[in-house]
């Protein structure tokens, strides 16, 4: 649990730390024979860049250029390696940023802007669609 908390709270999340957490979780499963597959290095680089970028207006073309892939190839490889589309992953990053702001006792307006949402209304709708509850219910 300490490793999981560090992974959530810290910005320095290495591939090794994530693998260690996943292996620990998998080892707790009954009769587990699962192996963790090494992710394509270009996708890892793109994820690292997106997680650490201050620019919240990332687009597929920019990220695919960064890892020297065509936008179509990057899109398909990203989906294959992560199980998420590029857009779903960007939305995930926005939600994580907003959740960090809420966790740090910021109001919903600040949380929505911190996550890169256009306005609070859009953030609330997206949050409810993603988690099935309104963000105000976790602030209590």
């Amino acid at each position: 649990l300490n490793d999981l908390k560090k992974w959530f709270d810290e910005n320095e999340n290495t591939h090794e730390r994530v693998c260690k957490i996943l292996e620990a979780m998998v080892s707790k499963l009954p009769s587990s024979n699962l192996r963790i597959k090494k992710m394509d290095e270009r996708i890892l680089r793109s994820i690292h860049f997106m997680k650490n970028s201050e620019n919240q207006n990332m687009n597929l073309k920019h990220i695919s250029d960064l890892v020297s892939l065509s936008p179509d190839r990057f899109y398909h490889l990203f989906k294959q390696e992560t199980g998420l589309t590029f857009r779903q992953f960007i939305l995930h990053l926005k939600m994580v940023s907003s959740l960090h702001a809420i966790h740090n006792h910021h109001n919903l307006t600040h949380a929505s802007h911190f996550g890169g949402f256009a306005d609070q209304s859009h953030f609330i709708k997206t949050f409810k669609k993603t988690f099935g509850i309104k963000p105000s219910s976790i602030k209590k």
Side-chain angles (χ1 to χ4, degrees), residues 123-138:
F123 166 64
I124 291 171
K125 287 177 189 171
T126 304
F127 191 97
K128 178 133 173 66
K129 183 178 178 186
T130 303
F131 299 111
I133 60 173
K134 292 182 180 178
S136 58
S137 64
I138 65 168

Side-chain angles (χ1 to χ4, degrees), residues 31-59:
S31 67
S32 172
N33 293 332
L34 298 175
R35 299 248 185 247
I36 295 177
K37 177 186 154 226
K38 178 124 173 93
M39 190 178 285
D40 186 283
E41 186 62 35
R42 297 164 294 188
I43 300 304
L44 285 173
R45 276 196 333 254
S46 70
I47 290 171
H48 179 73
F49 176 79
M50 289 184 281
K51 284 179 68 175
N52 296 310
S53 178
E54 296 292 323
N55 179 8
Q56 297 193 356
N57 293 321
M58 291 175 266
N59 63 51

Side-chain angles (χ1 to χ4, degrees), residues 42 45-50 60-69 74:
R42 297 164 294 188
R45 276 196 333 254
S46 70
I47 290 171
H48 179 73
F49 176 79
M50 289 184 281
L60 183 69
K61 173 85 171 103
H62 175 72
I63 302 298
S64 64
D65 285 348
L66 184 75
V67 295
S68 303
L69 291 170
F74 175 76

Side-chain angles (χ1 to χ4, degrees), residues 66-80:
L66 184 75
V67 295
S68 303
L69 291 170
S70 72
D72 284 340
R73 179 65 187 132
F74 175 76
Y75 180 87
H76 291 291
L77 186 59
F78 192 90
K79 170 85 172 163
Q80 176 185 328

